[in-house]
């Protein structure tokens, strides 16, 4: 429904405002995001590349809409498995946002987090850990220790610890995240269930098989009840 409406809006804005109007560019960008969310990733990339070219030409390379378009295109590349095209784009976005918005701006922190996730996906585990630890420290100072974004950064750091074989670090952090997630989001929130699953994986990797089984059985029962059996 979002795509159908977005395509209609784009047709109308191109006809009424013209193809180069900033509102047309934003509409085109929103449609590309909808394509990506629907799994139509090749259409998302094609439209995202067009939007980035147009915004750089019309609004300039440092305009917030241009930075947002560049970040979205990097996300599309990452979703398509084109990680080595996503990495330089994210590095550029991060450098631009640090220069224009400052190193502690929420958008800068989000970009740093996305770059760390891409590093992990590319197998650059230590780079991912170093960046996630920096993001976590900055986010806790800027947003506070209980912000939902903090929990997401911690969960990604757990996964990176597991990738690096740092199992005890992963367990310690997972147990802390789970306690915070249950208190802040509630015991049945999807993020809490994911955290519980990550902790079970950490237990399993550490050889604590029975602890892992017990926790996974709890996660499975909760997900079947909350999300449904299918």
């Amino acid at each position: 429904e979002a795509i159908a409406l977005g395509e209609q809006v784009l047709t109308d804005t191109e006809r009424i405002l013209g193809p180069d109007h900033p509102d047309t560019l934003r509409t085109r960008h929103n449609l590309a995001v909808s394509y990506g969310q629907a799994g139509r990733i090749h259409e998302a990339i094609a439209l995202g590349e067009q939007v980035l070219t147009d915004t750089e030409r019309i609004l300039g390379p440092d305009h917030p809409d241009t930075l947002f378009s560049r970040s979205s295109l990097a996300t599309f590349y990452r979703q398509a498995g084109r990680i080595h095209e996503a990495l330089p784009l994210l590095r550029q976005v991060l450098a631009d946002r640090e220069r224009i918005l400052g190193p502690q701006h929420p958008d800068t922190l989000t970009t740093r987090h996305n770059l760390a996730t891409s590093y992990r996906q590319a197998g650059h585990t230590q780079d991912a850990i170093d960046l996630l630890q920096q993001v976590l420290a900055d986010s806790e100072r800027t947003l506070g220790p209980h912000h939902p974004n903090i929990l997401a950064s911690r969960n990604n750091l757990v996964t990176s610890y597991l990738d690096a074989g740092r199992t005890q670090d992963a367990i310690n952090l997972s147990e802390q995240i789970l306690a915070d997630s249950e208190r802040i989001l509630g015991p049945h929130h999807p993020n809490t269930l994911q955290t519980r699953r990550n902790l079970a994986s950490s237990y399993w990797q550490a050889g604590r098989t029975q602890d892992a089984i017990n926790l996974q059985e709890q996660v499975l029962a909760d997900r079947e009840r909350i999300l449904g059996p299918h």
Side-chain angles (χ1 to χ4, degrees):
E1 291 173 292
I3 287 172
L5 201 56
E7 289 173 339
Q8 178 186 341
V9 172
L10 180 58
T11 299
D12 291 341
T13 53
E14 287 178 334
R15 176 173 51 82
I16 297 168
L17 302 176
D20 291 343
H21 191 280
D23 287 350
T24 305
L25 300 181
R26 292 189 191 101
T27 301
R28 204 175 286 133
H29 174 265
N30 290 341
L31 179 57
V33 171
S34 295
Y35 283 149
Q37 290 175 337
R40 296 167 59 175
I41 196 61
H42 297 297
E43 291 169 280
I45 288 173
L47 196 55
E49 289 174 338
Q50 177 189 349
V51 170
L52 180 56
T53 299
D54 291 342
T55 53
E56 286 179 333
R57 174 175 54 84
I58 297 164
L59 302 176
D62 292 342
H63 191 280
D65 286 0
T66 304
L67 301 185
F68 195 28
S69 299
R70 200 174 287 131
S71 179
S72 294
L73 180 57
T75 299
F76 300 151
Y77 284 151
R78 186 159 55 86
Q79 289 175 337
R82 295 165 60 175
I83 193 65
H84 294 292
E85 290 173 272
L87 283 173
L89 213 51
L90 281 171
R91 291 191 195 103
Q92 181 183 351
V93 173
L94 180 58
D96 290 341
R97 282 186 165 159
E98 286 178 333
R99 175 172 51 84
I100 297 166
L101 302 176
Q104 307 302 327
H105 191 281
D107 288 350
T108 305
L109 299 180
T110 298
T111 304
R112 205 174 284 132
H113 179 271
N114 291 341
L115 178 57
T117 302
S118 297
Y119 277 147
R120 183 172 61 81
Q121 190 173 333
H124 302 165
T125 306
Q126 191 57 51
D127 290 331
I129 288 173
D130 292 341
L131 202 52
L132 281 169
Q133 288 174 332
Q134 179 187 350
V135 170
L136 195 53
D138 291 342
S139 298
E140 286 177 337
R141 189 173 61 253
T142 305
L143 303 174
H146 304 311
H147 193 280
N149 287 359
I150 303 294
L151 300 178
S153 294
R154 285 181 183 154
N155 267 321
N156 281 333
L157 184 54
V158 167
T159 304
S160 296
Y161 281 153
L162 289 174
D163 289 344
R166 295 171 57 177
T167 309
Q168 192 56 51
D169 288 331
I171 289 173
N172 294 342
L173 190 55
S174 288
E175 290 175 337
Q176 177 190 343
I177 296 167
L178 182 56
D180 290 342
S181 188
E182 288 178 333
R183 186 181 75 257
I184 297 166
L185 302 176
H188 305 309
H189 190 280
N191 290 354
T192 304
L193 300 184
Q194 182 61 39
T195 301
R196 208 173 280 131
R197 181 187 178 280
N198 290 345
L199 178 56
S201 297
S202 300
Y203 284 153
W204 177 78
Q205 191 163 317
R208 295 170 56 177
T209 310
Q210 192 57 53
D211 289 332
I213 289 172
N214 293 342
L215 205 52
Q216 285 282 37
E217 287 176 337
Q218 180 186 349
V219 172
L220 180 58
D222 288 342
R223 280 186 164 166
E224 286 179 333
R225 187 181 73 259
I226 297 166
L227 302 176
H230 304 306

